[in-house]
Amino acid sequence: MMEFLAENGNELLVKTGEHLYISLVAMALGVIVAVPLGVMLSRIPKVADRLISFVGILQTIPSLAILAFFIPIVGIGKFPAIIALFIYSLLPILRNTYIGIRDVDQGVIEAGKGMGMNNLQAIIKMELPLAMPVIMAGIRLSTVYLIGWAALAAFIGGGGLGDFIFDGLNLYKPSLILAGTVPATILAVIADRSLAAVESKLTPDGLKDSYEAA
Amino acid sequence: MLEFNNVTKRYADGTPAVKNLNLKIDKGEFVCFIGPSGCGKTTTMKMVNRLIDITEGDIRFDDKSINDQDPVELRRSIGYVIQQIGLMPHMTIKENIVLVGTLLKWSKEKKDQRARELLELVDLPEEYLDKYPHELSGGQQQRIGVLRALASNPPLILMDEPFGALDPITRDSLQEEFKKLQKELHKTIVFVTHDMDEALKLADRVVIMRDGEIVQADTPDEILRNPANEFVEEFLGKDRLIQGRPDVTTVGQIMEGCPVTVQTGTTLKEAISVMRDKHVDSLLVVDMDNTLQGFIDIESINLNYKKANHVEEVMEANIFSVAEESLLRDTVHKILRRGVKYVPVVNDAQQLTGIVTRATLANLVYDTIWGDGMELEEAAATAE
């Protein structure tokens, strides 16, 4: 173990960094695109169901295949890896944002409107805060998935902990496979915990209490 | 103040919800819209703040057509209370009360001050400002819902079955509180309900609707006395029409004059001897000015005889009383519903003036059925 770390320690750190970078950038892109899209979809429920099932289909394409498809279009390296992972991150965030906002109590929405909230105020002051726990659940889920899938980035030269795993497979060296897998798992757990902390920060106090009460 | 001119609402498929409606509402008037479900009462109300658009015709609010105004601005200038209450669960009571203030970008000081002022109106303690809606009971939540509608001091308030989801006792007290508040603040109220008792009790004018049209719009008394047609009669129900007749008897006319009382400061021993002298098992406690403070009964004296000396230490201050000028029919209803043995009667200054017991009511019924004896003798005379 110590021996292995002495030999590969530096590389392990670099790869972990890459891995984290790929997954987080993809996740951030996913949030930036999917949350506003989800809010928009909540205004047009008819289109929403169709679009969400379409994105669901994208999700079923095997990840290796998506990575392979992207090689002719955007080449190899980190960028195509990020694009592919970004597509995977969309569905959970989009669906949870849409459902979270759709399920906000209609009485509250009507009161807000009747008080004279315009559309933007309704979204920012009312719908997003109330849907926050559901939206964050989607973001957490998709982040944990992304950290797992990011291992495949190595397949198209994106780097990351996947490099260790593929090397290990090719050289029949279980220690290398472990060196790729264990840090990825730890990363996933840490990411999930820190997002849980973000979630409790973003969830309005009044909602937290009412969950405890319920 | 508010004027409906030939207002019609048709839905996209052409079915009319409201047909050619004309109505004028004066400032300070409390108008109840009532009718069976689907009669267009809620639609009519929601057209006022443009939550639903008018198909034809015009609504004028303060002599300006509402169609010429920005819907968002319009809604901020009209109070709105709904059945589902709809407090923002993620905001404190204070933030909820001054929500419109936030939308109108009031300063923090103004919002704080306004929230405190309003909370005083409904006798809730100031600690409630920092609570969240789920920590309040349904009745308290709707009190806050009403305050929220009052926050920017709008001249007109729209209410969509605001007390419909509350239990009967809470509803009762909220109705009374609100009626009082409305008289004090002199607001114009458009109130939608399907509860006839509520409409008759609260409204200055009741608008009965059916199939998108007004069937009758009149004062509660006038509607009870002269229902416009069979539909109104049926909607009122036979009981109310009968009740509508001896409508004007007030509690003051039938109450018994001299209830057995003790003054604050009386010792328990003296209280017991009063009870023994007058053959009663409970006493009303009043202060020097004859203001009602509470009551004591034999059981509470028994329990606390060793511990306490004076009546005010053991008395129950939370006592239900009625006003002298309140109508008998409402009061009877309340006495029966609360299951109390007697109700003290007070004047405007909360001074005790009399008492209504179940025996009083029994006597009243007896008199109504048998008369005071005269009719019997007359009948006997004619028979001969």
Side-chain angles (χ1 to χ4, degrees):
Chain A
M1 174 86 177
M2 292 314 287
E3 207 180 300
F4 178 84
L5 279 184
E7 203 176 310
N8 297 300
N10 245 344
E11 205 189 345
L12 190 66
L13 271 184
V14 174
K15 296 289 178 199
T16 310
E18 275 179 359
H19 197 92
L20 199 60
Y21 168 77
I22 296 171
S23 358
L24 289 189
V25 172
M27 197 266 287
L29 282 175
V31 173
I32 291 168
V33 173
V35 172
L37 195 62
V39 174
M40 243 148 58
L41 286 181
S42 68
R43 295 292 187 271
I44 34 171
K46 275 183 197 151
V47 186
D49 287 332
R50 263 175 247 154
L51 192 84
I52 285 175
S53 28
F54 172 73
V55 181
I57 293 170
L58 283 188
Q59 192 104 26
T60 62
I61 304 173
S63 24
L64 267 176
I66 279 217
L67 290 170
F69 280 138
F70 273 115
I71 295 175
I73 307 169
V74 279
I76 56 168
K78 286 203 175 53
F79 182 61
I82 288 173
I83 297 281
L85 292 176
F86 154 72
I87 290 176
Y88 277 104
S89 75
L90 282 180
L91 181 69
I93 304 178
L94 183 69
R95 192 175 48 201
N96 279 37
T97 307
Y98 171 66
I99 291 175
I101 288 190
R102 190 192 62 187
D103 289 353
V104 171
D105 183 359
Q106 285 310 305
V108 173
I109 300 283
E110 199 195 323
K113 257 183 148 181
M115 293 287 115
M117 281 189 176
N118 59 32
N119 218 342
L120 191 67
Q121 283 167 328
I123 291 168
I124 292 173
K125 284 192 192 303
M126 190 161 68
E127 292 173 311
L128 278 182
L130 289 175
M132 192 48 78
V134 185
I135 297 175
M136 279 308 293
I139 295 178
R140 276 168 73 178
L141 181 77
S142 93
T143 307
V144 173
Y145 278 165
L146 285 194
I147 290 177
W149 284 326
L152 287 172
F155 180 70
I156 51 165
L161 289 164
D163 283 348
F164 280 115
I165 300 175
F166 282 112
D167 287 353
L169 283 173
N170 292 334
L171 303 169
Y172 300 109
K173 275 174 104 176
S175 59
L176 278 179
I177 300 180
L178 278 181
T181 316
V182 174
T185 314
I186 296 174
L187 274 187
V189 173
I190 293 174
D192 187 53
R193 293 325 303 160
S194 20
L195 283 175
V198 174
E199 176 180 339
S200 90
K201 189 119 203 162
L202 287 180
T203 305
D205 288 341
L207 285 189
K208 268 184 248 170
D209 295 350
S210 65
Y211 283 145
E212 278 159 22
Chain B
M1 167 78 194
L2 193 65
E3 225 181 303
F4 295 79
N5 293 327
N6 302 318
V7 173
T8 297
K9 171 71 197 175
R10 260 190 300 276
Y11 285 116
D13 60 355
T15 43
V18 176
K19 298 176 206 155
N20 210 16
L21 185 125
N22 284 293
L23 187 70
K24 239 183 172 168
I25 296 173
D26 294 327
K27 189 164 167 37
E29 203 177 4
F30 196 133
V31 176
C32 275
F33 283 81
I34 190 165
S37 357
C39 69
K41 53 188 193 295
T42 304
T43 311
T44 307
M45 189 202 75
K46 285 187 179 174
M47 283 192 286
V48 175
N49 65 358
R50 295 190 61 186
L51 283 175
I52 294 179
D53 281 321
I54 307 172
T55 318
E56 277 164 37
D58 185 23
I59 297 179
R60 301 183 76 79
F61 170 46
D62 272 346
D63 280 329
K64 274 179 289 183
S65 168
I66 58 161
N67 280 327
D68 299 341
Q69 295 177 53
D70 176 53
V72 168
E73 298 294 324
L74 180 74
R75 286 175 204 147
R76 287 177 190 170
S77 65
I78 298 177
Y80 190 48
V81 184
I82 58 174
Q83 180 179 8
Q84 307 91 313
I85 304 177
L87 295 183
M88 308 284 144
H90 59 300
M91 296 183 185
T92 61
I93 296 306
K94 180 163 75 185
E95 290 167 325
N96 267 295
I97 294 179
V98 291
L99 184 64
V100 180
T102 312
L103 299 178
L104 293 171
K105 305 211 162 50
W106 289 358
S107 69
K108 195 177 168 308
E109 293 76 35
K110 187 172 175 193
K111 284 193 282 188
D112 284 359
Q113 195 203 343
R114 186 68 183 145
R116 272 200 296 274
E117 265 171 39
L118 285 165
L119 204 65
E120 263 171 34
L121 287 179
V122 294
D123 291 327
L124 285 174
E126 220 170 271
E127 299 93 84
Y128 276 70
L129 286 178
D130 296 320
K131 288 188 187 248
Y132 285 100
H134 71 90
E135 296 172 87
L136 273 58
S137 71
Q140 290 170 335
Q141 289 191 19
Q142 193 56 299
R143 285 190 179 89
I144 302 302
V146 171
L147 294 187
R148 176 174 64 178
L150 291 170
S152 66
N153 209 6
L156 172 68
I157 298 175
L158 307 177
M159 305 181 94
D160 187 3
E161 302 195 28
F163 308 134
L166 303 172
D167 66 86
I169 292 183
T170 313
R171 188 188 313 156
D172 220 54
S173 52
L174 242 74
Q175 284 167 350
E176 253 158 59
E177 246 180 78
F178 183 67
K179 181 75 188 170
K180 223 173 84 193
L181 208 62
Q182 188 257 345
K183 275 188 188 153
E184 264 172 48
L185 303 174
H186 208 65
K187 299 288 178 200
T188 310
I189 313 280
V190 173
F191 192 107
V192 168
T193 178
H194 61 253
D195 176 355
M196 192 41 112
D197 288 319
E198 187 170 63
L200 294 175
K201 180 173 167 186
L202 294 175
D204 298 324
R205 193 145 53 114
V206 179
V207 178
I208 301 179
M209 289 184 70
R210 180 172 65 165
D211 299 335
E213 284 168 339
I214 295 180
V215 184
Q216 189 174 8
D218 244 321
T219 60
D221 280 349
E222 195 51 38
I223 284 184
L224 282 171
R225 241 170 263 150
N226 303 313
N229 57 23
E230 255 173 52
F231 170 76
V232 178
E233 271 176 39
E234 220 167 274
F235 200 65
L236 285 165
K238 280 207 177 67
D239 294 347
R240 285 199 197 82
L241 286 173
I242 294 169
Q243 276 176 21
R245 300 283 133 83
D247 197 2
V248 283
T249 319
T250 62
V251 175
Q253 287 170 294
I254 61 122
M255 68 184 184
E256 325 246 336
C258 312
V260 186
T261 59
V262 285
Q263 274 201 357
T264 46
T266 315
T267 62
L268 289 184
K269 215 168 174 182
E270 284 166 338
I272 292 173
S273 70
V274 173
M275 282 187 182
R276 199 184 300 136
D277 284 352
K278 307 271 182 178
H279 295 283
V280 291
D281 65 352
S282 68
L283 297 170
L284 294 169
V285 181
V286 293
D287 67 5
M288 307 277 281
D289 305 328
N290 206 29
T291 308
L292 182 64
Q293 299 292 318
F295 73 97
I296 52 171
D297 59 17
I298 193 86
E299 270 166 44
S300 61
I301 294 184
N302 218 357
L303 278 175
N304 297 298
Y305 193 63
K306 297 251 164 54
K307 283 176 267 172
N309 290 318
H310 295 287
V311 287
E312 60 267 34
E313 293 166 58
V314 297
M315 76 174 182
E316 175 59 55
N318 185 12
I319 184 170
F320 170 65
S321 61
V322 294
E324 247 177 335
E325 69 271 22
S326 61
L327 291 181
L328 185 59
R329 83 183 135 106
D330 297 340
T331 313
V332 171
H333 202 53
K334 265 185 244 160
I335 293 175
L336 295 180
R337 189 145 68 189
R338 297 211 182 210
V340 291
K341 282 181 278 188
Y342 61 89
V343 189
V345 182
V346 294
N347 61 14
D348 289 341
Q350 290 294 311
Q351 285 167 326
L352 185 69
T353 55
I355 187 167
V356 174
T357 64
R358 292 202 162 200
T360 322
L361 297 180
N363 282 338
L364 189 75
V365 173
Y366 189 85
D367 287 348
T368 318
I369 297 174
W370 299 110
D372 43 17
M374 298 301 286
E375 292 92 335
L376 272 183
E377 282 165 25
E378 273 168 35
T382 7
E384 278 168 20

